Amino acid sequence: MTRGCAARTTISSTPAGAEAVGSEPHLVLAVGATLGEGPVWVPRDNALWFVDIKSRHVHRFDPASGDAKRWDAPGEIGWVLPASDGGFVAGVADGLYRFEPEGEGFAKLRDAEPHLPDNRLNDAATDRQGRIWFGSMDNGEELRTGKLYRFEDGIVVDSGLAPVTITNGPAIAPDGGTLYAVDTMGKQIHAHTIAHDGTLSDGRCFIAFDDSVKGNPDGAICDSQGGVWVAFYGGWAVRRYDSSGTLTHQIDFPVANITKIALGGEDGCDAYATTARKGLNDAELAQQPLAGHLFHFRVDIPGIPVTSANVKP
């Protein structure tokens, strides 16, 4: 289903032609996450939600008040997404859960990969129909056992894409017709056409990064003009590519491990980036005292409001 990336795009750490956006990233919440991930702006409460996978925490941050809350998850948690009937759907290591922050906490909905106990869930997004697209990965980051799935009508469906070691994204284009799947260890992003019934076709190479690019592509989202924002783990940066795969913006960070951004706020142009301490030794942590914290910067193209997930019991 996916054609190989024969020609690999070379992008330096300070690429020519990459524009600056509205502001430099700055610290907004000190959480010291081991592996911060999955930021999502939830309009119904005007707050950012994100997770710390390895510490098994869910975080909520209200930028207007500065208020921050934290919940414990029942396992390593890759993401939370708002549900259409209230509450959230959460991707925990062993499956999908309902998460009720003000109620009973976590309740399991479905197993994901009971035949792969060494896998865990990693990243997710909703499409315009409210389907959840989510990926798995080898928790040891070695085996090619990570798969992409969709959760629809209470059922987990294999997308049919070939397995990779670490899935990331996926990012959904604003018209709902294209899914961008990130192969983190392969340093590639592939685009796929989404049919109305959720099947994927016409897999093609969107971007492949050669070894001159610092770090590995991590979480990805699309903005309202179809640009794809990609965070780079170990790469000290977040980059935006237009729908043709051309680099348009680069945001440099004071920490190495950027995992994903969310776009939200009143005008959709507030960007929030999660980061990670995982993989940094003592010397690196001393040089990066802000590693694992939450950052904010402004962009010039608004994001896409998240579609709440349709969930059946």
Side-chain angles (χ1 to χ4, degrees), residues 163-183:
V164 298
T165 303
I166 300 176
T167 62
N168 254 303
I172 310 294
D175 65 1
T178 303
L179 178 146
Y180 298 94
V182 180
D183 174 0

Side-chain angles (χ1 to χ4, degrees), residues 4-171:
C5 293
R8 301 180 67 83
T9 303
T10 301
I11 305 167
S12 72
S13 59
T14 53
E19 299 178 4
V21 288
S23 65
E24 296 295 321
H26 66 275
L27 173 70
V28 290
L29 184 65
V31 290
T34 303
L35 185 53
E37 255 289 6
V40 58
W41 180 263
V42 180
R44 70 188 182 204
D45 64 351
N46 290 318
L48 184 83
W49 291 77
F50 64 101
V51 301
D52 181 348
I53 296 175
K54 293 299 181 181
S55 297
R56 304 182 177 189
H57 292 153
V58 177
H59 292 271
R60 177 189 183 275
F61 174 60
D62 180 348
S65 66
D67 180 59
K69 294 182 180 179
R70 193 186 79 185
W71 292 261
D72 293 330
E76 293 186 355
I77 180 165
W79 46 269
V80 293
L81 291 167
S84 57
D85 58 354
F88 292 81
V89 183
V92 185
D94 63 341
L96 282 73
Y97 286 68
R98 285 302 301 257
F99 169 50
E100 301 291 345
E102 307 303 327
E104 299 179 356
F106 289 84
K108 196 169 193 179
L109 288 169
R110 295 288 183 273
D111 287 322
E113 297 175 321
H115 60 297
L116 293 171
D118 294 327
N119 269 16
R120 66 165 174 83
L121 302 192
N122 192 47
D123 201 1
T126 53
D127 64 17
R128 296 177 64 181
Q129 286 73 44
R131 298 175 293 211
I132 299 176
W133 295 86
F134 69 94
S136 66
M137 61 171 280
D138 171 34
N139 212 4
E141 303 182 11
E142 294 181 354
L143 304 177
R144 294 177 64 87
T145 54
K147 294 280 290 181
L148 182 71
Y149 302 90
R150 74 175 186 272
F151 183 59
E152 181 177 12
D153 295 331
I155 300 171
V156 174
V157 181
D158 190 328
S159 71
L161 300 188
V164 298
T165 303
I166 300 176
T167 62
N168 254 303

